[in-house]
PDB file of all heavy atoms in Angstrom:
ATOM      1  N   PHE A 199     -19.712 -40.566 -43.989  1.00 86.00           N
ATOM      2  CA  PHE A 199     -19.348 -39.470 -44.883  1.00 86.00           C
ATOM      3  C   PHE A 199     -17.962 -39.720 -45.495  1.00 86.00           C
ATOM      4  O   PHE A 199     -17.041 -38.913 -45.378  1.00 86.00           O
ATOM      5  CB  PHE A 199     -19.381 -38.136 -44.128  1.00 86.00           C
ATOM      6  CG  PHE A 199     -20.752 -37.749 -43.653  1.00 86.00           C
ATOM      7  CD1 PHE A 199     -21.128 -37.991 -42.334  1.00 86.00           C
ATOM      8  CD2 PHE A 199     -21.678 -37.191 -44.517  1.00 86.00           C
ATOM      9  CE1 PHE A 199     -22.394 -37.651 -41.896  1.00 86.00           C
ATOM     10  CE2 PHE A 199     -22.952 -36.854 -44.077  1.00 86.00           C
ATOM     11  CZ  PHE A 199     -23.328 -37.087 -42.756  1.00 86.00           C
ATOM     12  N   ASN A 200     -17.861 -40.866 -46.178  1.00 87.00           N
ATOM     13  CA  ASN A 200     -16.674 -41.179 -46.978  1.00 87.00           C
ATOM     14  C   ASN A 200     -15.371 -41.135 -46.175  1.00 87.00           C
ATOM     15  O   ASN A 200     -14.354 -40.595 -46.639  1.00 87.00           O
ATOM     16  CB  ASN A 200     -16.575 -40.238 -48.186  1.00 87.00           C
ATOM     17  CG  ASN A 200     -17.778 -40.339 -49.095  1.00 87.00           C
ATOM     18  OD1 ASN A 200     -18.288 -41.454 -49.347  1.00 87.00           O
ATOM     19  ND2 ASN A 200     -18.259 -39.200 -49.578  1.00 87.00           N
ATOM     20  N   ASN A 201     -15.443 -41.692 -44.970  1.00 88.00           N
ATOM     21  CA  ASN A 201     -14.258 -41.773 -44.111  1.00 88.00           C
ATOM     22  C   ASN A 201     -13.636 -40.411 -43.806  1.00 88.00           C
ATOM     23  O   ASN A 201     -12.408 -40.262 -43.708  1.00 88.00           O
ATOM     24  CB  ASN A 201     -13.194 -42.685 -44.726  1.00 88.00           C
ATOM     25  CG  ASN A 201     -13.658 -44.134 -44.792  1.00 88.00           C
ATOM     26  OD1 ASN A 201     -14.471 -44.578 -43.960  1.00 88.00           O
ATOM     27  ND2 ASN A 201     -13.175 -44.876 -45.786  1.00 88.00           N
ATOM     28  N   ALA A 202     -14.506 -39.406 -43.681  1.00 91.00           N
ATOM     29  CA  ALA A 202     -14.021 -38.062 -43.323  1.00 91.00           C
ATOM     30  C   ALA A 202     -13.348 -38.121 -41.940  1.00 91.00           C
ATOM     31  O   ALA A 202     -13.866 -38.758 -41.026  1.00 91.00           O
ATOM     32  CB  ALA A 202     -15.188 -37.072 -43.291  1.00 91.00           C
ATOM     33  N   PRO A 203     -12.208 -37.491 -41.810  1.00 94.00           N
ATOM     34  CA  PRO A 203     -11.493 -37.548 -40.523  1.00 94.00           C
ATOM     35  C   PRO A 203     -12.273 -36.819 -39.419  1.00 94.00           C
ATOM     36  O   PRO A 203     -12.851 -35.756 -39.635  1.00 94.00           O
ATOM     37  CB  PRO A 203     -10.157 -36.865 -40.816  1.00 94.00           C
ATOM     38  CG  PRO A 203     -10.394 -36.021 -42.016  1.00 94.00           C
ATOM     39  CD  PRO A 203     -11.454 -36.700 -42.822  1.00 94.00           C
ATOM     40  N   MET A 204     -12.259 -37.404 -38.207  1.00 95.00           N
ATOM     41  CA  MET A 204     -12.896 -36.809 -37.015  1.00 95.00           C
ATOM     42  C   MET A 204     -11.922 -36.941 -35.824  1.00 95.00           C
ATOM     43  O   MET A 204     -12.213 -37.641 -34.851  1.00 95.00           O
ATOM     44  CB  MET A 204     -14.211 -37.508 -36.694  1.00 95.00           C
ATOM     45  CG  MET A 204     -15.279 -37.387 -37.774  1.00 95.00           C
ATOM     46  SD  MET A 204     -16.720 -38.448 -37.424  1.00 95.00           S
ATOM     47  CE  MET A 204     -17.171 -37.949 -35.768  1.00 95.00           C
ATOM     48  N   PRO A 205     -10.756 -36.301 -35.900  1.00 97.00           N
ATOM     49  CA  PRO A 205      -9.769 -36.474 -34.827  1.00 97.00           C
ATOM     50  C   PRO A 205     -10.311 -36.018 -33.471  1.00 97.00           C
ATOM     51  O   PRO A 205     -11.147 -35.102 -33.387  1.00 97.00           O
ATOM     52  CB  PRO A 205      -8.597 -35.582 -35.261  1.00 97.00           C
ATOM     53  CG  PRO A 205      -8.831 -35.269 -36.694  1.00 97.00           C
ATOM     54  CD  PRO A 205     -10.293 -35.339 -36.926  1.00 97.00           C
ATOM     55  N   ASN A 206      -9.845 -36.666 -32.419  1.00 97.00           N
ATOM     56  CA  ASN A 206     -10.207 -36.305 -31.042  1.00 97.00           C
ATOM     57  C   ASN A 206     -11.719 -36.380 -30.812  1.00 97.00           C
ATOM     58  O   ASN A 206     -12.301 -35.502 -30.172  1.00 97.00           O
ATOM     59  CB  ASN A 206      -9.692 -34.909 -30.690  1.00 97.00           C
ATOM     60  CG  ASN A 206      -8.175 -34.808 -30.781  1.00 97.00           C
ATOM     61  OD1 ASN A 206      -7.472 -35.743 -30.412  1.00 97.00           O
ATOM     62  ND2 ASN A 206      -7.681 -33.692 -31.297  1.00 97.00           N
ATOM     63  N   ALA A 207     -12.333 -37.434 -31.292  1.00 97.00           N
ATOM     64  CA  ALA A 207     -13.793 -37.569 -31.171  1.00 97.00           C
ATOM     65  C   ALA A 207     -14.174 -37.983 -29.754  1.00 97.00           C
ATOM     66  O   ALA A 207     -13.635 -38.931 -29.193  1.00 97.00           O
ATOM     67  CB  ALA A 207     -14.307 -38.586 -32.183  1.00 97.00           C
ATOM     68  N   VAL A 208     -15.154 -37.213 -29.191  1.00 98.00           N
ATOM     69  CA  VAL A 208     -15.719 -37.528 -27.868  1.00 98.00           C
ATOM     70  C   VAL A 208     -17.234 -37.653 -28.065  1.00 98.00           C
ATOM     71  O   VAL A 208     -17.930 -36.646 -28.228  1.00 98.00           O
ATOM     72  CB  VAL A 208     -15.392 -36.420 -26.838  1.00 98.00           C
ATOM     73  CG1 VAL A 208     -16.022 -36.756 -25.482  1.00 98.00           C
ATOM     74  CG2 VAL A 208     -13.890 -36.217 -26.709  1.00 98.00           C
ATOM     75  N   TYR A 209     -17.730 -38.896 -28.071  1.00 97.00           N
ATOM     76  CA  TYR A 209     -19.148 -39.125 -28.372  1.00 97.00           C
ATOM     77  C   TYR A 209     -20.006 -38.895 -27.127  1.00 97.00           C
ATOM     78  O   TYR A 209     -19.684 -39.363 -26.030  1.00 97.00           O
ATOM     79  CB  TYR A 209     -19.361 -40.550 -28.881  1.00 97.00           C
ATOM     80  CG  TYR A 209     -18.856 -40.759 -30.289  1.00 97.00           C
ATOM     81  CD1 TYR A 209     -17.559 -41.189 -30.516  1.00 97.00           C
ATOM     82  CD2 TYR A 209     -19.679 -40.515 -31.377  1.00 97.00           C
ATOM     83  CE1 TYR A 209     -17.089 -41.378 -31.803  1.00 97.00           C
ATOM     84  CE2 TYR A 209     -19.215 -40.704 -32.672  1.00 97.00           C
ATOM     85  CZ  TYR A 209     -17.927 -41.125 -32.886  1.00 97.00           C
ATOM     86  OH  TYR A 209     -17.465 -41.317 -34.176  1.00 97.00           O
ATOM     87  N   PHE A 210     -21.119 -38.156 -27.340  1.00 97.00           N
ATOM     88  CA  PHE A 210     -22.069 -37.958 -26.239  1.00 97.00           C
ATOM     89  C   PHE A 210     -23.445 -38.564 -26.564  1.00 97.00           C
ATOM     90  O   PHE A 210     -24.382 -38.404 -25.792  1.00 97.00           O
ATOM     91  CB  PHE A 210     -22.183 -36.466 -25.867  1.00 97.00           C
ATOM     92  CG  PHE A 210     -22.451 -35.529 -27.013  1.00 97.00           C
ATOM     93  CD1 PHE A 210     -23.744 -35.278 -27.439  1.00 97.00           C
ATOM     94  CD2 PHE A 210     -21.392 -34.895 -27.664  1.00 97.00           C
ATOM     95  CE1 PHE A 210     -23.986 -34.404 -28.492  1.00 97.00           C
ATOM     96  CE2 PHE A 210     -21.629 -34.015 -28.720  1.00 97.00           C
ATOM     97  CZ  PHE A 210     -22.939 -33.765 -29.142  1.00 97.00           C
ATOM     98  N   THR A 211     -23.585 -39.191 -27.736  1.00 97.00           N
ATOM     99  CA  THR A 211     -24.761 -40.028 -28.032  1.00 97.00           C
ATOM    100  C   THR A 211     -24.250 -41.283 -28.744  1.00 97.00           C
ATOM    101  O   THR A 211     -23.109 -41.329 -29.218  1.00 97.00           O
ATOM    102  CB  THR A 211     -25.789 -39.322 -28.947  1.00 97.00           C
ATOM    103  OG1 THR A 211     -25.288 -39.285 -30.289  1.00 97.00           O
ATOM    104  CG2 THR A 211     -26.124 -37.924 -28.448  1.00 97.00           C
ATOM    105  N   TYR A 212     -25.145 -42.249 -28.844  1.00 96.00           N
ATOM    106  CA  TYR A 212     -24.805 -43.455 -29.623  1.00 96.00           C
ATOM    107  C   TYR A 212     -25.274 -43.322 -31.065  1.00 96.00           C
ATOM    108  O   TYR A 212     -25.267 -44.290 -31.819  1.00 96.00           O
ATOM    109  CB  TYR A 212     -25.440 -44.687 -28.981  1.00 96.00           C
ATOM    110  CG  TYR A 212     -24.753 -45.093 -27.682  1.00 96.00           C
ATOM    111  CD1 TYR A 212     -25.430 -45.033 -26.472  1.00 96.00           C
ATOM    112  CD2 TYR A 212     -23.448 -45.550 -27.695  1.00 96.00           C
ATOM    113  CE1 TYR A 212     -24.809 -45.416 -25.289  1.00 96.00           C
ATOM    114  CE2 TYR A 212     -22.816 -45.939 -26.519  1.00 96.00           C
ATOM    115  CZ  TYR A 212     -23.491 -45.865 -25.315  1.00 96.00           C
ATOM    116  OH  TYR A 212     -22.864 -46.243 -24.140  1.00 96.00           O
ATOM    117  N   ASN A 213     -25.681 -42.118 -31.453  1.00 94.00           N
ATOM    118  CA  ASN A 213     -26.165 -41.872 -32.814  1.00 94.00           C
ATOM    119  C   ASN A 213     -25.137 -41.098 -33.637  1.00 94.00           C
ATOM    120  O   ASN A 213     -25.489 -40.487 -34.647  1.00 94.00           O
ATOM    121  CB  ASN A 213     -27.483 -41.111 -32.783  1.00 94.00           C
ATOM    122  CG  ASN A 213     -28.579 -41.897 -32.097  1.00 94.00           C
ATOM    123  OD1 ASN A 213     -28.671 -43.130 -32.276  1.00 94.00           O
ATOM    124  ND2 ASN A 213     -29.415 -41.225 -31.313  1.00 94.00           N
ATOM    125  N   GLY A 214     -23.899 -41.078 -33.205  1.00 93.00           N
ATOM    126  CA  GLY A 214     -22.837 -40.451 -33.992  1.00 93.00           C
ATOM    127  C   GLY A 214     -22.554 -39.006 -33.652  1.00 93.00           C
ATOM    128  O   GLY A 214     -21.731 -38.366 -34.338  1.00 93.00           O
ATOM    129  N   HIS A 215     -23.191 -38.456 -32.620  1.00 97.00           N
ATOM    130  CA  HIS A 215     -22.931 -37.063 -32.265  1.00 97.00           C
ATOM    131  C   HIS A 215     -21.717 -36.983 -31.324  1.00 97.00           C
ATOM    132  O   HIS A 215     -21.674 -37.676 -30.303  1.00 97.00           O
ATOM    133  CB  HIS A 215     -24.149 -36.449 -31.580  1.00 97.00           C
ATOM    134  CG  HIS A 215     -25.374 -36.462 -32.422  1.00 97.00           C
ATOM    135  ND1 HIS A 215     -26.382 -37.398 -32.274  1.00 97.00           N
ATOM    136  CD2 HIS A 215     -25.757 -35.661 -33.471  1.00 97.00           C
ATOM    137  CE1 HIS A 215     -27.339 -37.168 -33.157  1.00 97.00           C
ATOM    138  NE2 HIS A 215     -26.976 -36.129 -33.907  1.00 97.00           N
ATOM    139  N   ALA A 216     -20.762 -36.127 -31.717  1.00 97.00           N
ATOM    140  CA  ALA A 216     -19.513 -36.053 -30.956  1.00 97.00           C
ATOM    141  C   ALA A 216     -18.888 -34.668 -31.060  1.00 97.00           C
ATOM    142  O   ALA A 216     -19.176 -33.893 -31.975  1.00 97.00           O
ATOM    143  CB  ALA A 216     -18.523 -37.097 -31.476  1.00 97.00           C
ATOM    144  N   PHE A 217     -18.042 -34.365 -30.094  1.00 98.00           N
ATOM    145  CA  PHE A 217     -17.095 -33.252 -30.230  1.00 98.00           C
ATOM    146  C   PHE A 217     -15.908 -33.797 -31.035  1.00 98.00           C
ATOM    147  O   PHE A 217     -15.430 -34.909 -30.783  1.00 98.00           O
ATOM    148  CB  PHE A 217     -16.565 -32.802 -28.858  1.00 98.00           C
ATOM    149  CG  PHE A 217     -17.601 -32.253 -27.926  1.00 98.00           C
ATOM    150  CD1 PHE A 217     -18.046 -33.006 -26.844  1.00 98.00           C
ATOM    151  CD2 PHE A 217     -18.111 -30.980 -28.091  1.00 98.00           C
ATOM    152  CE1 PHE A 217     -18.978 -32.503 -25.957  1.00 98.00           C
ATOM    153  CE2 PHE A 217     -19.045 -30.467 -27.211  1.00 98.00           C
ATOM    154  CZ  PHE A 217     -19.493 -31.230 -26.135  1.00 98.00           C
ATOM    155  N   HIS A 218     -15.401 -33.024 -31.990  1.00 97.00           N
ATOM    156  CA  HIS A 218     -14.187 -33.431 -32.694  1.00 97.00           C
ATOM    157  C   HIS A 218     -13.609 -32.240 -33.432  1.00 97.00           C
ATOM    158  O   HIS A 218     -14.276 -31.204 -33.610  1.00 97.00           O
ATOM    159  CB  HIS A 218     -14.456 -34.602 -33.672  1.00 97.00           C
ATOM    160  CG  HIS A 218     -15.389 -34.259 -34.788  1.00 97.00           C
ATOM    161  ND1 HIS A 218     -14.982 -33.642 -35.951  1.00 97.00           N
ATOM    162  CD2 HIS A 218     -16.728 -34.476 -34.941  1.00 97.00           C
ATOM    163  CE1 HIS A 218     -16.002 -33.473 -36.757  1.00 97.00           C
ATOM    164  NE2 HIS A 218     -17.088 -33.981 -36.170  1.00 97.00           N
ATOM    165  N   TYR A 219     -12.373 -32.373 -33.873  1.00 97.00           N
ATOM    166  CA  TYR A 219     -11.741 -31.317 -34.646  1.00 97.00           C
ATOM    167  C   TYR A 219     -12.355 -31.255 -36.031  1.00 97.00           C
ATOM    168  O   TYR A 219     -12.669 -32.287 -36.649  1.00 97.00           O
ATOM    169  CB  TYR A 219     -10.241 -31.560 -34.776  1.00 97.00           C
ATOM    170  CG  TYR A 219      -9.592 -30.686 -35.829  1.00 97.00           C
ATOM    171  CD1 TYR A 219      -9.470 -29.309 -35.638  1.00 97.00           C
ATOM    172  CD2 TYR A 219      -9.136 -31.234 -37.027  1.00 97.00           C
ATOM    173  CE1 TYR A 219      -8.898 -28.503 -36.610  1.00 97.00           C
ATOM    174  CE2 TYR A 219      -8.554 -30.438 -38.006  1.00 97.00           C
ATOM    175  CZ  TYR A 219      -8.442 -29.063 -37.791  1.00 97.00           C
ATOM    176  OH  TYR A 219      -7.885 -28.266 -38.765  1.00 97.00           O
ATOM    177  N   GLY A 220     -12.534 -30.010 -36.558  1.00 96.00           N
ATOM    178  CA  GLY A 220     -13.061 -29.845 -37.905  1.00 96.00           C
ATOM    179  C   GLY A 220     -13.085 -28.388 -38.314  1.00 96.00           C
ATOM    180  O   GLY A 220     -12.792 -27.475 -37.524  1.00 96.00           O
ATOM    181  N   ASP A 221     -13.461 -28.149 -39.557  1.00 95.00           N
ATOM    182  CA  ASP A 221     -13.531 -26.811 -40.142  1.00 95.00           C
ATOM    183  C   ASP A 221     -14.743 -26.077 -39.576  1.00 95.00           C
ATOM    184  O   ASP A 221     -15.871 -26.575 -39.653  1.00 95.00           O
ATOM    185  CB  ASP A 221     -13.624 -26.936 -41.659  1.00 95.00           C
ATOM    186  CG  ASP A 221     -13.467 -25.599 -42.358  1.00 95.00           C
ATOM    187  OD1 ASP A 221     -13.509 -24.549 -41.669  1.00 95.00           O
ATOM    188  OD2 ASP A 221     -13.296 -25.603 -43.597  1.00 95.00           O
ATOM    189  N   LEU A 222     -14.517 -24.881 -39.027  1.00 96.00           N
ATOM    190  CA  LEU A 222     -15.619 -24.109 -38.440  1.00 96.00           C
ATOM    191  C   LEU A 222     -16.290 -23.188 -39.444  1.00 96.00           C
ATOM    192  O   LEU A 222     -17.248 -22.490 -39.083  1.00 96.00           O
ATOM    193  CB  LEU A 222     -15.096 -23.263 -37.257  1.00 96.00           C
ATOM    194  CG  LEU A 222     -14.373 -23.972 -36.116  1.00 96.00           C
ATOM    195  CD1 LEU A 222     -14.136 -22.992 -34.966  1.00 96.00           C
ATOM    196  CD2 LEU A 222     -15.152 -25.180 -35.633  1.00 96.00           C
ATOM    197  N   SER A 223     -15.824 -23.199 -40.684  1.00 96.00           N
ATOM    198  CA  SER A 223     -16.367 -22.249 -41.663  1.00 96.00           C
ATOM    199  C   SER A 223     -17.719 -22.690 -42.218  1.00 96.00           C
ATOM    200  O   SER A 223     -18.392 -21.913 -42.908  1.00 96.00           O
ATOM    201  CB  SER A 223     -15.368 -22.060 -42.813  1.00 96.00           C
ATOM    202  OG  SER A 223     -15.186 -23.272 -43.527  1.00 96.00           O
ATOM    203  N   TYR A 224     -18.134 -23.921 -41.945  1.00 95.00           N
ATOM    204  CA  TYR A 224     -19.464 -24.363 -42.392  1.00 95.00           C
ATOM    205  C   TYR A 224     -20.032 -25.299 -41.333  1.00 95.00           C
ATOM    206  O   TYR A 224     -19.311 -25.842 -40.490  1.00 95.00           O
ATOM    207  CB  TYR A 224     -19.388 -25.061 -43.767  1.00 95.00           C
ATOM    208  CG  TYR A 224     -18.561 -26.308 -43.792  1.00 95.00           C
ATOM    209  CD1 TYR A 224     -19.170 -27.569 -43.664  1.00 95.00           C
ATOM    210  CD2 TYR A 224     -17.185 -26.256 -43.981  1.00 95.00           C
ATOM    211  CE1 TYR A 224     -18.413 -28.722 -43.695  1.00 95.00           C
ATOM    212  CE2 TYR A 224     -16.435 -27.403 -44.015  1.00 95.00           C
ATOM    213  CZ  TYR A 224     -17.046 -28.638 -43.866  1.00 95.00           C
ATOM    214  OH  TYR A 224     -16.299 -29.788 -43.898  1.00 95.00           O
ATOM    215  N   LEU A 225     -21.361 -25.482 -41.367  1.00 96.00           N
ATOM    216  CA  LEU A 225     -22.052 -26.272 -40.357  1.00 96.00           C
ATOM    217  C   LEU A 225     -21.823 -27.763 -40.579  1.00 96.00           C
ATOM    218  O   LEU A 225     -21.507 -28.206 -41.689  1.00 96.00           O
ATOM    219  CB  LEU A 225     -23.538 -25.941 -40.377  1.00 96.00           C
ATOM    220  CG  LEU A 225     -23.902 -24.473 -40.080  1.00 96.00           C
ATOM    221  CD1 LEU A 225     -25.409 -24.261 -40.168  1.00 96.00           C
ATOM    222  CD2 LEU A 225     -23.382 -24.050 -38.719  1.00 96.00           C
ATOM    223  N   SER A 226     -22.031 -28.528 -39.499  1.00 95.00           N
ATOM    224  CA  SER A 226     -21.762 -29.968 -39.532  1.00 95.00           C
ATOM    225  C   SER A 226     -23.048 -30.747 -39.804  1.00 95.00           C
ATOM    226  O   SER A 226     -24.116 -30.179 -40.001  1.00 95.00           O
ATOM    227  CB  SER A 226     -21.168 -30.397 -38.188  1.00 95.00           C
ATOM    228  OG  SER A 226     -22.171 -30.397 -37.180  1.00 95.00           O
ATOM    229  N   ALA A 227     -22.902 -32.060 -39.758  1.00 94.00           N
ATOM    230  CA  ALA A 227     -24.052 -32.950 -39.912  1.00 94.00           C
ATOM    231  C   ALA A 227     -24.638 -33.352 -38.560  1.00 94.00           C
ATOM    232  O   ALA A 227     -25.334 -34.357 -38.458  1.00 94.00           O
ATOM    233  CB  ALA A 227     -23.637 -34.182 -40.705  1.00 94.00           C
ATOM    234  N   GLY A 228     -24.335 -32.547 -37.521  1.00 94.00           N
ATOM    235  CA  GLY A 228     -24.891 -32.811 -36.200  1.00 94.00           C
ATOM    236  C   GLY A 228     -23.849 -32.834 -35.101  1.00 94.00           C
ATOM    237  O   GLY A 228     -24.190 -32.750 -33.908  1.00 94.00           O
ATOM    238  N   CYS A 229     -22.585 -33.010 -35.445  1.00 96.00           N
ATOM    239  CA  CYS A 229     -21.524 -32.989 -34.433  1.00 96.00           C
ATOM    240  C   CYS A 229     -21.205 -31.550 -34.009  1.00 96.00           C
ATOM    241  O   CYS A 229     -21.683 -30.579 -34.615  1.00 96.00           O
ATOM    242  CB  CYS A 229     -20.258 -33.639 -34.985  1.00 96.00           C
ATOM    243  SG  CYS A 229     -20.393 -35.432 -35.162  1.00 96.00           S
ATOM    244  N   VAL A 230     -20.386 -31.437 -33.008  1.00 97.00           N
ATOM    245  CA  VAL A 230     -19.904 -30.121 -32.548  1.00 97.00           C
ATOM    246  C   VAL A 230     -18.432 -30.034 -32.923  1.00 97.00           C
ATOM    247  O   VAL A 230     -17.575 -30.632 -32.275  1.00 97.00           O
ATOM    248  CB  VAL A 230     -20.090 -29.957 -31.025  1.00 97.00           C
ATOM    249  CG1 VAL A 230     -19.551 -28.591 -30.568  1.00 97.00           C
ATOM    250  CG2 VAL A 230     -21.551 -30.104 -30.637  1.00 97.00           C
TER     251      VAL A 230
END
Side-chain angles (χ1 to χ4, degrees):
F199 295 99
N200 300 319
N201 294 331
M204 297 172 54
N206 299 322
V208 179
Y209 287 91
F210 51 86
T211 74
Y212 287 115
N213 298 321
H215 300 101
F217 297 106
H218 64 84
Y219 166 69
D221 190 348
L222 304 189
S223 64
Y224 62 97
L225 299 178
S226 73
C229 288
V230 179

